[in-house]
Amino acid sequence: MAKTPEPKRTISLKPCDGDVIEVSPMIAKQMQTIQSFIEDDSFIATTTIIPLPNVTAFQLSKIIDYLNYHSNSKAVADNVKESTKKFDEEFLKELEHDKLKELLHAANYLNVKEVLDFLCQAVADLIQDKSVKFVRKFFGVVNDYSVEEEEDIRRTHAWAFEGVEED
Amino acid sequence: MEQIEMSEADSNKFQMTWQLQWSTLPHDLLLQIIDRLGLIEFLSFHGVCKDWRLASSISSPEEKSRDLWFLTYGEGSKCSLLSKQDKIYKIDLPELDGATCLASYKGWLLLFCNGSMFFFSPFSRAKIDVPNCPITELSDHAAAFSCLPTSQNCIIAVISRTSDEELELHMLFKGSNQWSKCNFSCEKRNLNTITGAMFHNGEFNFLDRFEGLVTFDACKSKEWNSYRLVKNDKSVKNVLDYYIQRDHLVFKDIKGKMELEDNVSITTCGTFYLRGKHNILIPGETIEAEEGSESSKNLKGVWIHPRYFHIEPNQTW
């Protein structure tokens, strides 16, 4: 992790369940929600601690890890691409489905475009070749269709769901 | 004591919001995911719950440079679909029974069936009838439309040859019932049977299988122009800003991938699409049944974007 030499220039973020985490202004800038805090006149970098009631320490540090890694590897050389791909794979591997969902939510709350893009793609990839039931379970969404409505939808697109994984 | 109770209440409240937010994901987040889904995944998504269905029906995903799918029809309502991943789907589309596809663009098909014409989105089964079809019987007709048929600016153009010297163009603007007609003197040696038709930069373009290209400026000048296509000639200053991909059926080994027998012939309707940064025209073509094969079977086919359009029922032109 690239640390700024002057500790006073870092931004203090307080997740809902842990100690304050210091981030460089460069990283903070990529979080739109934090950025709007910083731009506020009452913000004083040395003393203000930004509370993040919707983000856990785990989620915040994952997001910071991702941003740190990707801001340090902007080059397009093949070996960099290769290691970036590896980093992304490892990053996702460490996340169970529930954690991925929660991280997506945290990234949405913090409004970090780069992480959001990455996680949305990861979710889209997970849904690939999966049944409606799987998607419901994955997102924890309650089916509010009536039996008739559901049968109707299923029948309309029956062709698309032949041979998809049920779980 | 009171403090502990407060914090417990707070934490309960937090938990509840959390749960609530998950079953009703914000639509902007849903839309970002939808945008990255393939057609099949999109259909799964659609069926999850009412809220998601609403999100997916109001979304108009960015046109991604997804590869084309291929649809065969011509055996009653039985159709086959070949996905980008070379997976075959069997799909029943009564709307295609007896119909012929005149144009395919941005996921919509323009179909002709028994003297009438309509737009059809095969994946959502959305249908928009086109009034007062100018064709009674198909011969060498080719057609194109300028943008999504739900758009206010959509123009349909249907062209055919009336004689060896003359082309006839019928055009219909969105919202109108009245087709306009105009003719253009163009000898057959300058433009043979039209295999490719599309709309690009304000002009309808009509191409034959050889070097002929005729354009009609439908928006401004209403002018016709006739060109001859040449390859790699630096002395020519006009350059086409799209690519023409001929013999795509063979190139993509469609017959092999769709497991079609030797005795099957296919006549296709082409399309015009954006792949990466390049506009590409795939003209219509025909693959004959293999010589000597008994009792040949004629199928029709069309290249199509795997897109889903949700429209209100009974939408009119």
Side-chain angles (χ1 to χ4, degrees), chain B residues 47-63:
Chain B
V48 166
C49 65
K50 288 176 181 170
D51 190 54
W52 287 24
R53 187 182 190 178
L54 182 70
S56 52
S57 65
I58 56 168
S59 84
S60 61
E62 290 291 308
E63 273 179 75

Side-chain angles (χ1 to χ4, degrees), chain A residues 53-54 59 101-102 104-105 108 116-117 120-121 123-124 127-132 135-136 139-145 149 153 157 159-162, chain B residues 14 18 21-23 25-26 28-29 32-33 36-37 39-41 43-53 69 81 85 87 89-91 123 308:
Chain A
N54 288 345
Q59 292 155 5
K101 286 192 297 188
E102 287 164 17
L104 181 64
H105 212 81
N108 191 45
L116 260 182
D117 283 348
C120 284
Q121 187 60 53
V123 173
I127 297 176
Q128 200 164 353
D129 284 327
K130 296 296 193 301
S131 67
V132 178
V135 182
R136 264 184 211 137
F139 283 99
V141 174
V142 179
N143 175 16
D144 56 359
Y145 286 120
E149 284 171 327
I153 290 172
H157 306 304
W159 63 271
F161 302 113
E162 271 164 33
Chain B
F14 173 63
W18 193 249
Q21 280 168 332
W22 266 117
S23 45
L25 265 182
D28 60 339
L29 202 51
Q32 288 191 57
I33 297 170
R36 291 168 171 81
L37 296 176
L39 176 70
I40 303 295
E41 293 74 45
L43 294 176
S44 283
F45 207 86
H46 191 90
V48 166
C49 65
K50 288 176 181 170
D51 190 54
W52 287 24
R53 187 182 190 178
W69 288 23
L81 199 59
Q85 292 81 14
K87 191 168 166 182
Y89 295 92
K90 298 288 174 194
I91 176 169
F123 309 116
Y308 187 95

Side-chain angles (χ1 to χ4, degrees), chain B residues 268-296:
Chain B
T268 67
C269 171
T271 191
F272 185 60
Y273 76 117
L274 190 67
R275 189 172 70 199
K277 287 176 185 157
H278 303 293
N279 284 301
I280 296 172
L281 171 75
I282 299 178
E285 56 187 307
T286 299
I287 297 189
E288 301 293 347
E290 230 155 84
E291 260 179 65
S293 53
E294 291 168 33
S295 62
S296 67

Side-chain angles (χ1 to χ4, degrees), chain B residues 84-133:
Chain B
K84 175 189 159 189
Q85 292 81 14
D86 292 337
K87 191 168 166 182
I88 302 171
Y89 295 92
K90 298 288 174 194
I91 176 169
D92 199 54
L93 296 169
E95 293 86 348
L96 292 188
D97 189 357
T100 300
C101 192
L102 298 175
S104 167
Y105 187 45
K106 297 190 178 210
W108 282 96
L109 304 179
L110 178 64
L111 293 158
F112 174 81
C113 186
N114 298 327
S116 60
M117 201 184 269
F118 58 97
F119 284 103
F120 183 56
S121 161
F123 309 116
S124 66
R125 307 275 294 271
K127 192 179 168 192
I128 303 171
D129 284 316
V130 176
N132 305 324
C133 176

Side-chain angles (χ1 to χ4, degrees), chain B residues 139-265:
Chain B
S139 54
D140 62 340
H141 293 85
F145 48 100
S146 63
C147 53
L148 299 180
T150 45
S151 150
Q152 285 315 306
N153 307 318
C154 187
I155 313 168
I156 310 171
V158 181
I159 196 166
S160 61
R161 190 167 272 290
T162 52
S163 68
D164 279 354
E165 286 82 37
E166 195 181 52
L167 294 169
E168 184 173 75
L169 180 76
H170 291 271
M171 273 204 307
L172 185 68
F173 288 79
K174 173 80 179 186
S176 164
N177 288 329
Q178 205 68 50
W179 289 78
S180 63
K181 191 177 93 172
C182 58
N183 293 54
F184 177 56
S185 299
C186 173
E187 284 182 36
K188 199 165 180 179
R189 63 185 171 90
N190 290 328
L191 188 72
N192 210 295
T193 307
I194 298 167
T195 56
M198 52 84 174
F199 182 86
H200 186 49
N201 292 341
E203 293 183 327
F204 282 103
N205 286 233
F206 305 104
L207 295 94
D208 64 17
R209 196 152 68 78
F210 309 102
E211 299 164 333
L213 164 67
V214 163
T215 64
F216 177 74
D217 187 327
C219 301
K220 288 181 192 141
S221 68
K222 315 279 174 195
E223 257 173 35
W224 289 91
N225 277 299
S226 179
Y227 304 91
R228 192 168 68 83
L229 300 176
V230 287
K231 258 189 179 169
N232 304 325
D233 186 340
K234 290 208 171 90
S235 65
V236 178
K237 62 174 194 291
N238 286 333
V239 178
L240 269 192
D241 58 355
Y242 55 87
Y243 292 84
I244 305 167
Q245 208 148 54
R246 300 192 196 268
D247 302 321
H248 209 51
L249 279 180
V250 173
F251 177 71
K252 288 280 183 186
D253 184 27
I254 290 300
K255 268 186 103 166
K257 284 176 183 168
M258 296 198 86
E259 296 158 6
L260 297 173
E261 310 272 332
D262 290 344
N263 68 344
V264 174
S265 74

